[in-house]
């Protein structure tokens, strides 16, 4: 087994470019997308309300960390939206608002959610004021007080609980792209197994003194190590090159990546067992990697997905649990023991995939 | 030493190997000759325990290897039809790897690698990457990779396909040397009859999954011994002469190419006298008459009605 590993690493050192290029592309994409969603998004606002009410509402709205609301004439707001200069515009009225959009995007979704929230708080305060016969300002104050010192806390364990949803627009693309790109790197390494079978290197190993398990372990362990190396490289560039602190969870994240990369190695092994040749494998992996990335929440956070079908599909995709682990630790601040569940699912998937994959490959020989 | 008994392999649609019986004695070079698709590689895969036969048995020193392949595997060196090498490693690194999987290490591994490099004539190029090698050099390395653990039995699957004549001769000489100096037993597969004729003590001819002839080179050629192949050259080809040839019941398979006429005739007929007679009668001038001994190619043609090479 050592002989396999050392030969493979020799091969890798001779040609490390695939991993390096993959890492660079991944880092570039994650930084670009992370940076573009960092800035506040400008939202033009027109209003039919009286000016002091408009101002009050604008003040509340502008507390958002993601959006910057700008008051303007209704016609100007319309033009901006129509010309595509902004993603959305809002027209404020007394009890509700109109959202003007040209296309539904993740941002418009959040915008709607956010404005709705501000409105319902305003309505809440108004209702309290009317019932308690106190001025509206005081009612708002009470509502805010209540929010800051809640009588009881609800701790939501479910990641998709509406209350617990936090979108970290900097972590999301780093995690998403890392987990996505590593699928290609790992799959490419596992694919070498098919190539070695076709060319006969595999037969030479079978006829040698190596045991069967050594051959599989050598190959798969190597694939794992290369995949893991790539993610560590990417995370390290962000951590030490770009100074991103991962909310102080850098070491935990590296540990949490182990079950994910393992499950991807196993998934690739399953694929090797299922396909007839290398071309099929390559076609399938491109398709599956992209689908898994979409379903598993690598491109956009699962928190904004509402389709039950997609959410159910996500449950069988390893990438979902990989994201859950990374976000769990970095964004939601959970400890590793709290994340045992997704970890064990990944290990379980890995063992099952690998078992079936190796069995299929062995059966093909006879 | 090694023996195949009624060896059969049925793939989904094709019966690639059909009740093949063959054996190798210690120290022999045995040829397995047949056109592409004859089932040679499949036979070899079963002989070397890489795929299980559909039926039949492979015996090594009289013991079945189906359940217990280890003994045969340890004695076996295999040269696959494809180049089974890492093309991004150097020749030396490849040999070191294929030696190490046979549990060679340290000084012993070093010594064997140097020895094999010398044998296959790649000592000067040992540090070059395989992907920069010529076809012939890759083929030589492909053979070298099978020799590190000093196998008693070497099975080679078309080891000279697609290379220059020089490399080919080198390989043939190397196989001869291994056999003579190290008493290595060799099963040599090819669709080139000259190679098999040059190397082998005994030959099996295979076609469509079956062994259609076997024996020493001479024994096989004697299949055609009842007939001569006669080739004559005439000054000018005339219709009456051809007609006269065709009219003779003892002359068969007449083929004409320019002024050369080839035919088969039984040995007991005095073909010279007959040809002179016919020539005189039809005013034809004979330039030459040649009696040819049959080649393995002719045997294959005789047995199957097809040429060995397509
Ligand atoms: N794995 C396989 N599955 C199905 N058919 C095969 C397989 N391997 C070989 N064959 C078929 O068996 C026949 C013999 O092939 P092979 O043993 O490679 O011939 P040769 O080595 O003499 O050229 C061919 O018709 C080939 O298509
Ligand atoms: Mg073949």
């Amino acid at each position: 087994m050592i002989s396999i590993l050392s030969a493979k690493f020799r091969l890798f050192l001779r040609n490390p470019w695939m991993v390096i290029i993959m890492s660079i592309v991944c880092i570039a994409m994650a930084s670009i997308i992370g940076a573009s969603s960092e800035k506040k998004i400008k939202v033009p606002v027109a209003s039919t309300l009286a000016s002091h009410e408009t101002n009050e509402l604008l003040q509340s709205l502008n507390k958002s960390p993601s959006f910057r609301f700008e008051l303007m004439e209704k016609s100007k707001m319309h033009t901006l939206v129509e010309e595509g200069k902004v993603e959305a515009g809002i027209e404020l009225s007394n009890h509700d608002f109109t959202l003007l959009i040209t296309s539904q995007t993740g941002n418009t979704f959040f915008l709607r959610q956010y404005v709705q929230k501000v409105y319902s708080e305003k309505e809440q305060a108004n209702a309290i004021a009317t019932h308690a016969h106190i001025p509206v300002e005081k009612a708002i104050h009470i509502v805010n007080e209540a929010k800051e010192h809640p009588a009881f806390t609800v701790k939501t364990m479910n990641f998709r609980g509406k209350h617990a949803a936090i979108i970290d627009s900097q972590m999301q693309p780093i995690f998403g792209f890392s987990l996505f790109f590593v699928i290609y790197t790992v799959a490419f390494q596992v694919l070498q197994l098919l190539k070695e079978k076709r060319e006969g290197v595999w037969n030479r190993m079978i006829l040698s003194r190596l045991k069967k398990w050594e051959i599989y372990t050598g190959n798969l362990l190597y694939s794992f190590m290369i995949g893991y190396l790539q993610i560590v490289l990417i995370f390290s560039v962000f951590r030490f090159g770009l100074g991103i602190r991962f909310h102080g969870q850098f070491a935990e994240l590296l540990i949490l990546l182990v079950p994910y990369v393992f499950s991807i190695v196993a998934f690739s092994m399953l694929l090797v067992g299922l396909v007839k040749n290398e071309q099929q494998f390559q076609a399938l992996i491109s398709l599956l990697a992209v689908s898994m990335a979409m379903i598993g929440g690598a491109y956009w956070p699962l928190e904004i997905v509402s389709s039950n079908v997609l959410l159910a599909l996500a449950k069988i995709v390893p990438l979902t649990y990989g994201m859950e682990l990374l976000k769990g630790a970095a964004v939601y601040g959970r400890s590793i023991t709290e994340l045992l569940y997704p970890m064990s699912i990944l290990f379980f998937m890995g063992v099952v995939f690998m078992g079936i994959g190796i069995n299929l490959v062995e059966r093909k020989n006879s | 030493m090694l023996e195949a008994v009624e060896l059969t392999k049925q793939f989904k649609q094709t019966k690639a190997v059909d009740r093949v019986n063959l054996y190798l004695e210690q120290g022999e070079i045995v040829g397995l000759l047949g056109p592409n698709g004859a089932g040679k590689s499949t036979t070899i895969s079963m002989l070397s325990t890489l795929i299980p036969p559909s039926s039949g048995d492979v015996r090594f020193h009289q013991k079945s290897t189906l359940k217990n392949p280890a003994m045969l595997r340890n004695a076996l060196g295999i040269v696959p039809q494809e180049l089974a090498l890492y093309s991004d490693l150097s020749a030396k690194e490849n040999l070191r790897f294929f030696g190490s999987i046979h549990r060679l290490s340290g000084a012993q591994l070093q010594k064997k690698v140097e020895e094999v490099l010398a044998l296959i004539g790649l000592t000067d190029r040992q540090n070059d990457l395989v992907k920069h090698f010529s076809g012939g050099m890759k083929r030589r390395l492909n053979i070298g990779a099978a020799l590190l653990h000093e196998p008693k039995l070497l099975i080679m699957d078309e080891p000279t396909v697609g290379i220059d004549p020089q490399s080919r001769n080198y390989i043939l000489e190397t196989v001869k040397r291994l056999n003579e100096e190290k008493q290595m037993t060799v099963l040599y597969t090819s669709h080139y009859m000259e190679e098999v004729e040059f190397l082998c003590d005994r030959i099996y001819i295979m076609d469509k999954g079956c062994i259609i002839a076997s024996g020493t080179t001479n024994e096989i050629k004697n299949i055609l011994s009842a007939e001569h192949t006669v080739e004559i050259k005439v000054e000018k080809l005339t219709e009456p002469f051809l007609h006269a040839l065709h009219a003779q019941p003892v002359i068969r398979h007449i083929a004409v190419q320019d002024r050369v006429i080839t035919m088969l005739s039984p040995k007991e007929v005095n073909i010279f006298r007959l040809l002179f007679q016919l020539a005189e009668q039809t005013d034809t001038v004979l330039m030459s008459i040649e009696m040819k001994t049959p080649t393995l190619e002719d045997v294959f043609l005789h047995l199957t009605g097809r040429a060995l090479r397509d």
Side-chain angles (χ1 to χ4, degrees):
Chain A
M1 194 178 93
I2 302 297
S3 44
I4 296 181
L5 281 179
S6 81
K8 292 245 156 183
F9 271 104
R10 217 177 265 273
L11 280 169
F12 171 70
L13 290 179
R14 202 141 284 161
N15 207 349
W17 296 109
M18 167 163 166
V19 168
I20 293 178
I21 290 170
M22 279 282 190
S23 307
I24 293 175
V25 173
C26 177
I27 291 166
M29 290 184 66
S31 327
I32 291 167
I33 292 180
S36 73
S37 53
E38 241 172 355
K39 291 184 306 233
K40 285 195 181 184
I41 297 161
K42 176 177 148 180
V43 182
V45 174
S47 175
T48 57
L49 299 171
S51 73
H52 79 274
E53 277 184 78
T54 307
N55 279 337
E56 239 168 51
L57 202 51
L58 260 183
Q59 251 179 17
S60 316
L61 283 170
N62 270 327
K63 282 180 188 154
S64 156
S66 331
F67 304 105
R68 185 162 45 79
F69 296 88
E70 259 177 49
L71 189 64
M72 60 183 68
E73 290 299 315
K74 188 174 169 181
S75 58
K76 185 148 180 243
M77 186 264 280
H78 272 257
T79 332
L80 281 178
V81 174
E82 273 158 22
E83 287 175 355
K85 296 254 166 64
V86 294
E87 279 183 65
I90 292 178
E91 196 178 327
L92 305 173
S93 36
N94 201 6
H95 294 293
D96 56 9
F97 62 96
T98 316
L99 186 67
L100 254 90
I101 55 172
T102 44
S103 65
Q104 186 85 40
T105 65
N107 285 332
T108 59
F109 175 86
F110 283 117
L111 180 64
R112 182 200 302 276
Q113 246 189 1
Y114 176 69
V115 180
Q116 239 155 20
K117 190 174 126 244
V118 172
Y119 259 85
S120 64
E121 276 170 15
K122 172 173 163 280
E123 291 298 314
Q124 216 177 347
N126 278 340
I128 291 171
T130 336
H131 285 285
H133 305 290
I134 52 170
V136 177
E137 286 75 16
K138 205 167 169 210
I140 292 175
H141 183 73
I142 292 170
V143 170
N144 284 341
E145 278 278 273
K147 269 207 301 198
E148 267 156 44
H149 308 285
F152 56 91
T153 35
V154 180
K155 189 165 186 198
T156 317
M157 291 302 292
N158 186 343
F159 277 89
R160 306 204 222 312
K162 285 277 176 285
H163 303 283
I166 307 172
I167 313 265
D168 187 321
S169 55
Q170 193 177 36
M171 294 295 109
Q172 167 71 29
I174 297 178
F175 295 162
F177 282 113
S178 303
L179 297 195
F180 170 57
F181 276 94
V182 81
I183 299 177
Y184 287 106
T185 302
V186 167
F188 179 79
Q189 300 304 340
V190 177
L191 171 66
Q192 299 309 305
L193 205 146
L194 276 180
K195 184 165 169 255
E196 287 174 11
K197 284 202 107 160
R198 173 171 54 79
E199 289 176 344
V201 173
W202 181 269
N203 281 343
R204 287 206 154 138
M205 293 196 268
I206 295 286
L207 293 179
S208 76
R209 301 270 174 145
L210 291 175
K211 305 269 183 304
K212 198 67 123 329
W213 69 264
E214 285 183 288
I215 305 177
Y216 278 112
T217 316
N219 274 287
L220 296 176
L221 186 61
Y222 167 74
S223 306
F224 173 86
M225 285 157 104
I226 293 299
Y228 193 68
L229 182 84
Q230 175 175 315
I231 302 202
V232 171
L233 185 71
I234 293 169
F235 276 43
S236 301
V237 168
F238 278 111
R239 173 68 187 83
F240 303 108
L242 304 173
I244 286 169
R245 309 245 328 122
F246 292 99
H247 303 288
Q249 303 288 314
F250 186 67
E252 284 82 351
L253 292 180
L254 294 190
I255 295 170
L256 292 171
L257 283 166
V258 171
Y260 174 72
V261 178
F262 168 70
S263 74
I264 293 302
V265 171
F267 182 76
S268 307
M269 187 65 223
L270 174 66
L271 226 54
V272 164
L274 289 173
V275 298
K276 282 214 170 61
N277 52 42
E278 291 153 68
Q279 287 74 27
Q280 268 188 10
F281 182 93
Q282 273 161 338
L284 260 181
I285 196 69
S286 322
L287 189 75
L288 288 174
V290 174
S291 329
M292 290 204 296
M294 289 202 257
I295 295 171
Y299 293 162
W300 48 77
L302 275 191
E303 282 87 341
I304 68 163
V305 174
S306 55
S307 152
N308 285 329
V309 178
L310 286 180
L311 288 177
L313 272 177
K315 294 237 186 309
I316 57 164
V317 171
L319 200 143
T320 311
Y321 300 97
M323 289 301 281
E324 203 162 300
L325 284 175
L326 297 183
K327 287 205 231 168
V331 181
Y332 294 89
R334 301 203 202 293
S335 68
I336 287 188
T337 37
E338 283 174 294
L339 293 168
L340 280 179
Y341 174 68
M343 279 172 95
S344 46
I345 290 191
L346 284 178
F347 274 121
F348 174 74
M349 279 182 169
V351 170
V352 171
F353 289 164
M354 204 166 274
I356 298 175
I358 291 179
N359 258 301
L360 287 174
V361 170
E362 286 297 305
R363 199 170 302 174
K364 252 182 239 171
N365 285 346
S366 46
Chain B
M1 187 183 195
L2 188 69
E3 191 183 4
V5 184
E6 295 287 302
L7 207 53
T8 302
K9 185 71 191 183
Q10 174 85 50
F11 289 117
K12 277 191 194 80
Q13 284 111 22
T14 37
K15 199 169 220 173
V17 175
D18 191 4
R19 280 169 294 144
V20 161
N21 292 291
L22 60 79
Y23 68 92
L24 280 89
E25 296 289 0
Q26 184 94 45
E28 274 187 314
I29 305 186
V30 172
L32 184 58
L33 182 69
N36 281 326
K40 304 183 297 294
S41 297
T42 310
T43 305
I44 282 183
S45 293
M46 289 190 285
L47 285 176
S48 50
T49 74
L50 285 169
I51 60 171
S54 308
S55 66
D57 197 5
V58 175
R59 293 182 192 149
F60 185 58
H61 292 301
Q62 276 86 50
K63 287 197 202 74
S64 173
T65 60
L66 296 186
K67 289 266 149 53
N68 245 325
M71 237 226 319
L72 173 55
R73 285 181 179 182
N74 293 340
L76 187 67
I78 182 130
V79 181
Q81 190 171 353
E82 303 268 346
L83 293 165
L85 303 164
Y86 286 114
S87 55
D88 278 319
L89 292 183
S90 69
K92 188 163 123 194
E93 287 166 338
N94 265 288
L95 292 179
R96 287 192 69 88
F97 172 69
F98 289 116
S100 70
I101 62 176
H102 281 100
R103 303 268 191 258
L104 293 175
S105 62
Q108 196 194 8
L109 177 61
Q110 183 69 24
K111 183 170 151 278
K112 281 311 298 180
V113 167
E114 278 165 19
E115 204 180 301
V116 168
L117 280 169
L119 181 77
I120 58 178
L122 289 178
T123 308
D124 294 342
R125 305 288 304 270
Q126 57 178 295
N127 291 318
D128 293 2
L129 298 192
V130 171
K131 64 178 171 192
H132 299 141
F133 277 5
S134 71
M137 291 161 74
K138 286 181 190 164
R139 284 279 160 202
R140 268 140 66 191
L141 187 60
N142 202 33
I143 296 172
L147 300 175
L148 291 146
H149 58 298
E150 303 193 346
K152 301 265 181 309
L153 170 63
L154 186 64
I155 297 187
M156 309 177 88
D157 194 353
E158 311 215 17
T160 58
V161 164
I163 58 173
D164 57 292
Q166 229 170 327
S167 283
R168 191 168 164 190
N169 286 339
Y170 193 103
I171 288 177
L172 294 178
E173 292 297 340
T174 308
V175 175
K176 260 232 148 90
R177 267 179 65 195
L178 285 169
N179 174 251
E180 281 162 9
E181 290 169 16
K182 310 227 166 188
Q183 286 76 49
M184 215 176 264
T185 310
V186 180
L187 177 61
Y188 190 95
T189 303
S190 178
H191 65 269
Y192 298 117
M193 54 113 197
E194 321 86 76
E195 291 184 350
V196 172
E197 204 166 344
F198 168 77
L199 275 178
C200 302
D201 305 313
R202 284 189 305 115
I203 301 169
Y204 291 91
I205 299 183
M206 195 168 184
D207 186 44
K208 295 184 175 164
C210 301
I211 301 283
I212 54 172
S214 67
T216 63
T217 313
N218 281 332
E219 280 168 4
I220 289 187
K221 286 180 180 169
N222 278 342
I223 294 173
L224 291 187
S225 63
E227 288 182 322
H228 277 306
T229 305
V230 186
E231 196 180 278
I232 57 177
K233 198 171 176 192
V234 293
E235 194 188 52
K236 189 163 174 294
L237 191 67
T238 59
E239 267 307 309
F241 181 61
L242 264 185
H243 203 79
L245 286 178
H246 278 286
Q248 292 296 323
V250 292
I251 297 176
R252 300 189 304 118
H253 285 202
I254 301 168
V256 184
Q257 197 176 26
D258 281 335
R259 290 178 297 146
V260 178
I261 306 166
T262 331
M263 66 202 81
L264 287 181
S265 80
K267 272 194 174 156
E268 62 271 16
V269 175
N270 187 339
I271 190 78
F272 284 97
R273 209 173 62 201
L274 182 63
L275 287 172
F276 281 128
Q277 266 175 15
L278 295 176
E280 215 171 282
Q281 283 164 18
T282 56
D283 276 340
T284 306
V285 182
L286 291 177
M287 311 282 290
S288 67
I289 301 182
E290 215 178 321
M291 310 286 278
K292 295 184 123 183
T293 45
T295 63
L296 289 177
E297 190 87 47
D298 297 324
V299 177
F300 190 81
L301 189 70
H302 171 82
L303 291 173
T304 66
R306 283 175 292 117
L308 194 52
R309 258 166 283 177
D310 16 45

